Amino acid sequence: MTNAARPRALAATVALAALVLPWVVARLGPAASYMLNLSVIFAIVAIALNLLTGFSGQISLGHAGFLMLGEYASALLTLKAGFPFWAALPASALLVGAIGFLVGLPAVRLSGNFLAVATMGFGLAVPEVMLNWAGLTHGSAGLMPKSPTIGGFSFGSDVAYYYLALFCLALVWYICATLLRSRTGRALQAVRDSEPAALASGINAAYHKALAFAISAAFAGVAGALYAHYVNFVSPNDFSIQDSFLFLAMIVVGGLGSLPGSLLGAVLLTVVSQLSTSLGQFSIILTGSVMLLAVLFFPGGLISLARRRRPTPRVPAPLAQRSAAGGS
Amino acid sequence: MFWQTLVDGLAVGSLYAVTAIGLVLIYKTSNVVNFAQGEMAMFSTFIAYQAFTHWAWPYWAAVLAASAFALVLGWAVYWLFLSRLSRAPLLSQIIATLALFLLFRGVAGAIWGNQPFSFPTAVQPTVVRFGPTLILSTQIITFAACLLLMALAYALFRYTRVGLAMQAISQNMFAARLMGVSVGRVYGFSWALSTLLGAVAGMLIAPTLFLSPTFMEGVAIRAFAAAVVGGFASLPGAAVGGLLFGVLESLFGFYISPAFKTTFVSLVIIAVLYVRPGGLFGPRTVKKV
């Protein structure tokens, strides 16, 4: 944007509104507060996924798997290893990030459709492992992690937890924004735009691709840990392959390669899917329709509507060119 | 017991192979991986269920009706959605098929509900004995039907006019269009055919897995695995991959752990792609700048 003052004023307004929001929403009842907190937690996942897909050009159909790993990591660390929540949260981020790095290793050599298939396999495998590794995870009986406390204060209420989640969201946003402006961030986007050109400029494409996976997984792990200690129950049924699709829908509807877009998409789709949960199947029908409409009519996402005057399209071009899947 | 596991693996593997061939047909022509393949097959199988159970049609009439439905469904999905996205980025195409996945699953759940339904078999299951190995007549029918379908798909691709057009498009779409190939029509045809293959696999496996909106999820991921073995580019590769996965998974389930089958399949996918990103039988791909 040429005019720097306007977006800054907008950002300040949004931030202020975010601080007041829980008190307004609380008047609508506990279901609305739950939806709000879920939106904040899912916004972290959307930013994580956008970092990977929108900014580094790698698709993941397995982010629900990372989210679930974060849930279990944090629940197990607090319940079985006696970690306090405040240590378990960063520890699960590191743990899930390390797993993300391992999953990202094959991704170094894959792109497009093949990467989608590989990550989808990962996403299907995680709930199965959690269900059947009963000695550690208690199978379908699940785990019951406690709400975090600090001093004598418990984050058991919706409003208190909102601020905790919001703080994490702000932190993740800040880290991502800083990262994207750094040398590493530029390298990620260069690899996205043209891998051969990036290689020719001396960028280690393989390292940056795996790094993007690791960071994205770590943030998804943070969201998982936050979710686990919010609902105080963790089971293999929490997230499925459908949720991986939902996260992808968030960033596509919101806007690929845009942090505000991730936020917008996360809030919109969380509300849509939660509101329609009472309507049974209509939740996924509505989510699917929104995805389809977005792809057909707003390929740049909702955020592109706000950016109409910009001449350049916001959809990362390289995903178009990499229609041939396969080798490097 | 080994032979028993092998026979069971081959029977179920042939279903994976047929579904995988459907995936490869679409991918080879239009470069789209149809992530909704399993759900479209599920939906078609529900049509057969509806005709058989609620309208009391005979089994074969229900199967034929569902097959016809599948052909139309595949064609319609292509014309309504994917044809509009032929120039869109790859990610948009993937998202579109994922959206269709959710739509079909949601609509099926809304119409028929989420509980598992039993689905009829083509013949009364009887047991054929080969020494200690037991083979069900339904397994034989499944295997034979799948081999026949695979042979037909291969022959169609290799020896017919429309097959030639598909090959031409997969080699060079632009040149094919200049030679007078109606690209859209061929795409529509491959979508229809692919959906039919998936639907037949769905109807054959539904008696074992029980029919529900999620029942094809496991089959679909194995079909992806099988297609990956062939690099998504080779029909025989996908067929071999399907049978291989059926057998491997069956052996793994019997000798190691039945609970971690999907995990095993996923690990194999990731391992194969890591070692050979173009698939075991796939061509080496060179990325254009």
Side-chain angles (χ1 to χ4, degrees):
Chain A
M1 305 233 169
T2 43
N3 187 352
R6 264 182 56 209
R8 234 172 246 171
L10 183 68
T13 319
V14 170
L16 208 67
L19 288 175
V20 200
L21 204 57
W23 304 99
V24 182
V25 171
R27 289 173 165 269
L28 301 172
S33 295
Y34 173 76
M35 210 187 306
L36 178 68
N37 289 5
L38 209 58
S39 301
V40 175
I41 293 171
F42 281 175
I44 298 177
V45 188
I47 289 178
L49 189 58
N50 220 336
L51 185 71
L52 185 70
T53 306
F55 289 104
S56 341
Q58 306 184 80
I59 192 165
S60 165
L61 300 187
H63 258 56
F66 292 125
L67 196 68
M68 181 171 279
L69 286 176
E71 276 189 287
Y72 272 97
S74 176
L76 288 170
L77 283 173
T78 50
L79 291 173
K80 300 214 168 168
F83 275 49
F85 170 79
W86 312 105
L89 185 71
S92 24
L94 284 178
L95 205 66
V96 180
I99 296 170
F101 188 79
L102 290 179
V103 175
L105 277 182
V108 166
R109 302 180 62 180
L110 301 177
S111 59
N113 288 311
F114 280 10
L115 185 57
V117 172
T119 47
M120 186 174 171
F122 169 78
L124 285 172
V126 170
E128 191 185 76
V129 171
M130 293 308 158
L131 177 66
N132 292 304
W133 193 354
L136 185 70
T137 63
H138 295 194
S140 53
L143 297 165
M144 293 183 194
K146 293 183 181 62
S147 298
T149 53
I150 194 163
F153 180 75
S154 161
F155 285 87
S157 75
D158 280 329
V159 172
Y161 211 90
Y162 171 84
Y163 287 112
L164 174 63
L166 189 69
F167 174 75
C168 292
L169 173 63
L171 198 65
V172 166
W173 182 304
Y174 176 76
I175 295 172
C176 275
T178 313
L179 179 81
L180 288 168
R181 274 197 299 269
S182 73
R183 198 184 167 81
T184 312
R186 287 195 302 275
L188 288 177
Q189 292 167 72
V191 172
R192 173 194 74 188
D193 291 338
S194 168
E195 199 172 325
L199 285 170
S201 318
I203 292 169
N204 185 344
Y207 163 77
H208 283 95
K209 281 175 151 185
L211 184 72
F213 247 99
I215 299 174
S216 181
F219 289 155
V222 168
L226 281 172
Y227 181 83
H229 294 269
Y230 175 52
V231 299
N232 303 115
F233 180 62
V234 173
S235 88
N237 303 322
D238 288 353
F239 298 105
S240 70
I241 189 84
Q242 285 167 213
D243 294 289
S244 291
F245 297 178
L246 181 71
F247 299 139
L248 211 53
M250 286 174 185
I251 62 171
V252 171
V253 171
L256 282 169
S258 155
L259 292 180
S262 321
L263 185 65
L264 203 62
V267 173
L268 185 75
L269 275 163
T270 310
V271 170
V272 163
S273 66
Q274 288 296 314
L275 272 185
S276 49
T277 309
S278 48
L279 303 171
Q281 292 303 315
F282 292 98
S283 171
I284 56 174
I285 297 179
L286 216 55
T287 312
S289 313
V290 170
M291 273 166 96
L292 209 49
L293 290 176
V295 171
L296 287 173
F297 301 111
F298 309 107
L302 289 175
I303 207 78
S304 69
L305 300 181
R307 282 176 179 164
R308 268 257 158 94
R309 268 167 257 154
R310 284 194 152 196
T312 48
R314 296 304 300 165
V315 177
L319 287 160
Q321 292 152 10
R322 288 186 199 157
S323 53
S328 46
Chain B
M1 236 15 239
F2 172 78
W3 293 105
Q4 183 72 58
T5 324
L6 193 70
V7 165
D8 295 343
L10 281 176
V12 72
S14 59
L15 293 167
Y16 302 159
V18 166
T19 317
I21 284 178
L23 287 171
V24 172
L25 273 180
I26 291 183
Y27 184 74
K28 260 183 103 87
T29 48
S30 57
N31 258 325
V32 174
V33 171
N34 180 15
F35 286 95
Q37 163 102 344
E39 307 309 291
M40 285 159 77
M42 173 274 293
F43 204 86
S44 310
T45 310
F46 261 115
I47 297 292
Y49 166 84
Q50 178 74 21
F52 182 83
T53 311
H54 293 282
W55 302 334
W57 291 18
Y59 178 82
W60 290 106
V63 166
L64 278 180
S67 304
F69 174 83
L71 283 172
V72 177
L73 179 71
W75 182 83
V77 160
Y78 171 72
W79 276 106
L80 285 176
F81 306 115
L82 272 299
S83 67
R84 289 164 203 270
L85 293 168
S86 56
R87 280 179 204 169
L90 173 63
L91 188 64
S92 299
Q93 298 176 341
I94 293 179
I95 305 273
T97 64
L98 296 179
L100 290 168
F101 176 108
L102 294 178
L103 280 177
F104 284 119
R105 181 174 281 190
V107 171
I111 299 177
W112 291 285
N114 284 319
Q115 67 273 39
F117 299 99
S118 61
F119 190 84
T121 48
V123 292
Q124 214 39 252
T126 49
V127 174
V128 185
R129 276 180 184 276
F130 281 95
T133 311
L134 310 175
I135 305 179
L136 291 170
S137 55
T138 46
Q139 284 180 321
I140 297 174
I141 286 189
T142 298
F143 194 70
C146 289
L147 281 188
L148 185 72
L149 276 176
M150 282 188 263
L152 281 177
Y154 187 73
L156 184 110
F157 193 70
R158 203 62 203 269
Y159 301 112
T160 63
R161 248 182 109 76
V162 66
L164 199 66
M166 285 168 149
Q167 286 183 53
I169 288 172
S170 79
Q171 278 176 16
N172 189 331
M173 192 187 87
F174 189 66
R177 182 169 272 157
L178 288 179
M179 294 300 120
V181 174
S182 166
V183 173
R185 211 177 283 171
V186 173
Y187 280 4
F189 178 77
S190 44
W191 273 83
L193 191 64
S194 163
T195 312
L196 173 69
L197 289 174
V200 172
M203 288 185 277
L204 285 171
I205 206 166
T208 343
L209 292 181
F210 292 103
L211 185 58
S212 79
T214 54
F215 92 105
M216 283 299 276
E217 191 176 278
V219 179
I221 188 67
R222 286 154 179 82
F224 286 127
V228 158
V229 168
F232 262 105
S234 142
L235 292 179
V240 172
L243 294 172
L244 201 68
F245 264 102
V247 171
L248 275 181
E249 178 197 32
S250 183
L251 290 174
F252 178 86
F254 183 74
Y255 288 106
I256 303 172
S257 158
F260 290 97
K261 274 186 181 177
T262 304
T263 312
F264 169 73
V265 171
S266 311
L267 282 177
V268 175
I269 297 182
I270 293 177
V272 166
L273 287 176
Y274 189 57
V275 181
R276 291 286 306 264
L280 288 182
F281 302 113
R284 279 184 57 84
T285 47
V286 181
K287 194 172 284 174
K288 286 179 219 150
V289 179

